[in-house]
Amino acid sequence: MFRFIGGRLFSSVIVLWVLVTLSFFLMRFAPGSPFDQDRKLPPAVEANKWLRFNMGMEITADVDGTIGDLQEIVPKVTMLKKGDTLGTLTPEGGAAQPILMPHDGEVVSLNVQAGEQVKKGDTLAVIPKPLWSQYIDAIGGYAKLDFGVTITSDGQRTVSEELRRALPISLQLGGYSLLFALLLGVPAGLISGWRQNSPLDHTVMAFSMFGVSVPTMVSGPILVSIFAIALGWLPPGGWEQITPEWSALQHRILPVITLGLAYVPVVARLTRGGMLEVVRSDWMRTARAKGLSEATIIRRHALKGALLPTVSWLGPGMAGIVTGSVVVESVYRIPGLAENFVKPALNRDYPMVIGVVVVYAAILVLLNLVVDLLYTFLDPRVSIDG
Amino acid sequence: MSDATTPEQKSISLGRDAWRRLKQNQLALISLCVVGAIAFVGYTAPIIWAPYVTHFSPHEMHRSFANAPPGTRDISDEYPTYDGNKDAFDFIDLDGDGYITCTRHVYADGTPGSLQCPELAMADLAASFLLKAHQLFDRARGNETPPPLHLPAAGQGDGYLTFAEYPKDDLDLPEEYRGLGLAGPDIFRALDIDGDNVLSSWELVERSRYLRYSTVPVGGGLRSYDGFVGAFDRDGDLRISRAEFPGAPELHTFVGGTDYLGRDIMTRLFYGARLSITIGLLSTMVSLFIGVLYGAISGYAGGRVDNVMMRIVDILYGLPFMFLVILVMTIVEDRNNPVIIFVLLGAVQWLTTARVVRGQVLSIKNREFIEAQRALGASRLNIILKHLIPNTLGPVIVYATLLVPAVITEEAFLSFLGLGLPDSWGKMLAEGSGIGSLTNFPWQMIFPGIALAVTLFAMNFLGDGVRDAMDPKMRGQK
């Protein structure tokens, strides 16, 4: 048991590491930097940003002295090789020393002019950090759950703050929707499987086909049109955290139904499939032969087995709900995690994007582990120690 | 089953048998027809539907007709038709010389400049007045004496120009429209087609068509008279005689209304169908390629390799893959490249295929015909490609038919978030599902919504039908 959980946790860490690495390099290899905005920033301001977001490093003076010749360098355009000289630095009464590039790359800003007096430790130039060094810094931070500061807020807010604000909203939306899907889907599937080929079964299956074929980006606007615009019963969007409770609840109804409805048919079909298998099993025949009532048979003998497919779906299903919530959050203008993923990704806000990816992946990996444990509890034939 | 004792009974291949069963499933057959029709309409959109049926191209913008409801009519920019009625010629030929005269300025180095047609330009100016008249003069009822040339905000008017609202003489008109004889009671009566003493916008559009001859060439570009003169000036003298004159442009209906840029929604739907079907099929192929290969290798290798490969699949199952897709979409430079989309979508959809194929391979890899190949010394690759994979195709086809609608949904999902292709149904849905559009222009959401839902419906029913046909044991167990 503990070995199983330990092993799973270990593989989860590996998965998270692979994901972070993948996202990190995907974003860094993209052309352009997050600071490429419509208006060009002065090199000194931009250099500050590079330093603040831990993407740049300084070249400092080793000794007090005077700057000699400087190379003609256009910031962010001239590509230099490792060991190229940026200029020379002449200490008091000594020979001129070259200022060297520590690695390949461009220069973000050159902070000194020829003939200027500098002290030891003064910044001569700012250059981008090597990728691997940025990566190691980042991974070190993530291990301490420090995701850095968001670039779009200009360093005003940390990623963790944003996540703390948005994550509960998305979790609520996803959780309620899953609950809605299970509350509606499981009974429907049970009845439908118990009475296979009855009119009730056909109705459930027809509705489930409807649910599968109408994606949230269609059902969401339709529900808004009907219940918010035409009837005016519910608000068309937002996710207010205000009292009275009823008002907050009103804002949750439509999004939860929209997202949940997409998964009701999936749950119903899986439960029905599980039920069909159980109904034909030997132990059910035995239970009937004992003369138990239908209700008891379902409750005591059929339910557990019929739920197995649904439970094993929960893992991947939650990944689906997470993805689906992106659309629902956008339709209903809910300030959840999705809002904090698509827009930052378009703006190259690396820390925010990676923060969201890590949090989502971590939640899903953890939930998958819970689902696996639940599975062994429901089906005694499955043993995790084996 | 063919048998030596019953020679008249022919053997039936698996595919033929499945097709026979599919034909008995009416719902699946109807779905097949619907999918076929959607694909046909999509792929013939540029050669049949846009030029000859809707008469609009998906990109032409009718600025005066933005957010117009279904049934609004306008002349087409890229695929205009003409009514053959020569009466309009007299409106245009202002100097009465029997020709609509154009000139083309030629630069010193011989490059031709744009075509200048003063008479057509004058007509266009008058037409632009008619199309703008509501915006300029329409007031809500009870406010019949506004200060001259005061522009009402959108939605302030009641939708009708009454006799009192219509300008009485040239001084009531904006400066650029003076001197064309557009004001006055006579003109009002000439414009009032149904004689109800108010001008609805359809009357103004109907009257304006006699005056509008500038077109935008197919494939975009600037509005010019080149299309009109080029098509009808048969003798090449840059003059359109009465005999050459094709009549006034005909109006065509925006059957599905227009979007916020004044583009015809129906035409865009047809082009969207082509995109959706293409992405669906190609992505499915990409995912099958990866999944079949992965599953076959894993199943055939068995043991530790199989274990590791399947553990990877298990882990990947729980991850929100669309997030990686979104990430990649935000960093690619050419976001409108369909190849990137279908490869990406295919690359994240192979997990189930891999599992299915692995299961099949495990069940047949120790059968006699594979043993025979091994005994004959066939290479592993040869066995996998020639013998194992073909024998797994049944379940793979079943899964693939259900994968196509899933991929189409995902493509729409990406476009809905603004990361997909501009012609996609998802993009149209996103544009139509803001609160403002839903309240005032619901057709912008309804039509793409119906198109997407019907396509997914048909494909899912077809997928179910194919599964029942390929595997009769599964019938009824969904």
Side-chain angles (χ1 to χ4, degrees), chain A residues 65-66 94 106 115 120 131 137 147 165 212-213 219 247 266 275 277 285 301 303 309 362 367 373:
Chain A
T66 317
E106 78 267 82
K120 186 179 173 190
L131 212 51
D137 282 358
F147 297 105
R165 188 184 53 73
V212 168
S213 303
S219 62
S247 163
V266 182
M275 194 67 177
E277 209 140 283
R285 196 161 8 132
H301 299 272
L303 191 59
L367 287 176
L373 292 176

Side-chain angles (χ1 to χ4, degrees), chain B residues 294-296 298-299 306 310 353-363:
Chain B
Y294 191 96
S298 174
D306 179 37
M310 280 300 118
T353 322
R355 273 190 183 173
V356 171
V357 171
R358 170 183 169 268
Q360 284 294 104
V361 168
L362 278 184
S363 74

Side-chain angles (χ1 to χ4, degrees), chain B residues 1-11:
Chain B
M1 221 22 103
S2 79
D3 195 53
T5 55
T6 53
E8 69 275 15
Q9 198 175 0
K10 271 203 228 151
S11 76

Side-chain angles (χ1 to χ4, degrees), chain A residues 136-286:
Chain A
I136 288 174
D137 282 358
I139 289 285
Y142 299 151
K144 288 179 279 179
L145 289 183
D146 172 16
F147 297 105
V149 286
T150 65
I151 294 177
T152 34
S153 74
D154 200 21
Q156 296 301 305
R157 287 189 299 277
T158 64
V159 174
S160 308
E161 274 171 21
E162 298 275 316
L163 290 178
R164 216 170 295 142
R165 188 184 53 73
L167 185 63
I169 298 179
S170 286
L171 283 185
Q172 273 184 32
L173 175 61
Y176 288 150
S177 305
L178 188 62
L179 203 65
F180 179 83
L182 291 177
L183 283 181
L184 221 63
V186 167
L190 286 179
I191 295 170
S192 174
W194 188 250
R195 295 267 173 266
Q196 194 192 355
N197 291 331
S198 67
L200 203 62
D201 178 29
H202 291 305
T203 317
V204 169
M205 284 299 104
F207 268 108
S208 99
M209 188 52 111
F210 195 78
V212 168
S213 303
V214 182
T216 45
M217 68 199 104
V218 177
S219 62
I222 290 177
L223 287 174
V224 172
S225 303
I226 297 175
F227 293 103
I229 294 173
L231 297 175
W233 291 350
L234 295 166
W239 192 265
E240 306 299 320
Q241 289 287 2
I242 49 168
T243 49
E245 290 291 311
W246 169 234
S247 163
L249 187 66
Q250 274 184 321
H251 281 89
R252 281 151 185 65
I253 293 175
L254 276 184
V256 166
I257 290 182
T258 307
L259 186 53
L261 267 187
Y263 294 94
V264 170
V266 182
V267 173
R269 283 176 169 220
L270 286 168
T271 313
R272 179 174 179 272
M275 194 67 177
L276 286 180
E277 209 140 283
V278 168
V279 164
R280 301 196 178 109
S281 63
D282 299 338
W283 74 82
M284 290 297 285
R285 196 161 8 132
T286 314

